[in-house]
Amino acid sequence: FLHALRVRIIGPDSAKALSIVLSAMMTEKQGKPGTVYEYEVAVRMFEEFLGEAKPAYRITRQDVLAYKNALLETPANYTKRFPDKTLPEAIRLNKARKEPFPTLNATTINDKWLSRLSALLTWCVNNSVIPDNPAKGVRVDQNNRDPDEDRDYFREADLQKIFAAPLFDPSPKLTEKRWAMLIALYSGMRTSEIAQLRLDSISEVRGVLVFAVEERTKNKQSRRLVPVHKTLLVLGLQQYIAQLRK
């Protein structure tokens, strides 16, 4: 076993932890802040699971497979629900709850956390850090269940608390953050889509005021026109836009 590990040392970077190697990868790729952050979180989660910042050459396929199984038990948004707790601690605390929080769904595990980890390890292979990618092909087998079944929806009582007066009373001046929250409530648009809205993204089409989702989106199909809900008009969105344009 020790001989097999030594064979995996093929360069000066083989003994470096993934968190160190990641910096070199992002410098080469000139990764955008959002992308860099996702990779950093992916590496942090993996190292939390391992219990150490393992040298790249010591990472095995068994490590990655065990990590995949742990992700299936990981509560969604675990850093917010269990502040200052590691991934294994969050799993243990969530299981101890009378009503455990929902866990990560297969799509998130595959397309975000396992995908980022595998991409980094592939870069390691291409740059003579390790001889092969131990995460290659490791994915959660998804069934045909509707992924929306995994989501915990806001109830009417939840929304009444979030959007209660006086914070959302139309009489005081609504801030940009409050408008963003109201647009989210009445449009179903993603947070990133709302944050990218420009004044030119809001216009009339055939007499109807619409949001044009046309900037960087999740996929090409996400580019679309979203009619502005009448409640937003009653609250004065058009007047707010006019003030900004002025």
Side-chain angles (χ1 to χ4, degrees):
F1 176 73
L2 291 176
H3 173 71
L5 284 179
R6 283 195 295 270
V7 170
R8 293 182 61 76
I9 300 177
I10 60 173
D13 293 333
S14 298
K16 292 181 180 179
L18 289 184
S19 49
I20 304 300
V21 177
L22 176 62
S23 178
M25 173 181 163
M26 288 294 104
T27 299
E28 179 182 310
K29 290 180 172 291
Q30 298 182 341
K32 295 182 178 180
T35 302
V36 173
Y37 176 74
E38 274 200 4
Y39 272 100
E40 289 175 343
V41 173
V43 171
R44 173 181 57 76
M45 289 170 61
F46 184 54
E47 291 183 343
E48 282 182 1
F49 166 74
L50 295 176
E52 62 174 316
K54 240 182 185 183
Y57 81 93
R58 287 182 50 211
I59 296 171
T60 66
R61 190 166 185 83
Q62 286 68 33
D63 288 333
V64 180
L65 289 169
Y67 176 57
K68 178 194 74 170
N69 292 332
L71 289 175
L72 289 167
E73 298 181 327
T74 301
N77 299 313
Y78 79 91
T79 55
K80 294 179 181 179
R81 285 166 164 161
F82 302 101
D84 302 320
K85 301 299 181 184
T86 65
L87 186 144
E89 290 172 336
I91 293 174
R92 178 176 55 79
L93 291 171
N94 194 48
K95 287 182 176 180
R97 285 176 54 86
K98 185 176 181 180
E99 293 185 16
F101 292 117
T103 54
L104 295 172
N105 62 47
T107 300
T108 299
I109 294 172
N110 287 337
D111 296 349
K112 186 173 284 189
W113 307 129
L114 289 179
S115 174
R116 296 299 191 201
L117 178 62
S118 185
L120 174 54
L121 291 170
T122 295
W123 186 90
C124 289
V125 174
N126 295 336
N127 287 270
S128 297
V129 178
I130 51 178
D132 55 69
N133 177 1
K136 185 177 181 180
V138 176
R139 293 176 62 82
V140 175
D141 286 335
Q142 301 185 60
N143 54 30
N144 294 323
R145 184 179 60 184
D146 185 348
D148 285 345
E149 292 177 4
D150 296 329
R151 300 187 181 184
D152 188 17
Y153 292 93
F154 286 113
R155 276 63 174 180
E156 185 175 349
D158 299 326
L159 294 175
Q160 287 174 347
K161 289 180 181 179
I162 295 171
F163 294 92
L167 184 64
F168 287 95
D169 191 320
S171 55
K173 182 180 179 180
L174 289 172
T175 63
E176 184 169 308
K177 180 179 179 181
R178 294 175 190 174
W179 275 119
M181 293 175 68
L182 287 167
I183 291 171
L185 177 67
Y186 286 105
S187 72
M189 294 164 62
R190 298 182 179 91
T191 305
S192 58
E193 294 172 344
I194 298 170
Q196 293 180 86
L197 281 175
R198 298 173 291 110
L199 290 176
D200 290 343
S201 303
I202 308 170
S203 60
E204 282 197 6
V205 176
R206 298 180 184 177
V208 177
L209 194 67
V210 299
F211 298 115
V213 182
E214 55 193 357
E215 300 300 316
R216 186 178 179 87
T217 56
K218 189 172 183 180
N219 48 56
K220 290 183 179 180
Q221 290 73 27
S222 296
R223 295 178 182 176
R224 63 200 186 281
L225 297 179
V226 180
V228 176
H229 195 280
K230 62 181 180 181
T231 302
L232 296 176
L233 300 177
V234 171
L235 291 173
L237 180 61
Q238 276 183 298
Q239 292 86 334
Y240 178 65
I241 294 168
Q243 290 172 7
L244 292 176
R245 284 184 172 142
K246 186 177 179 180

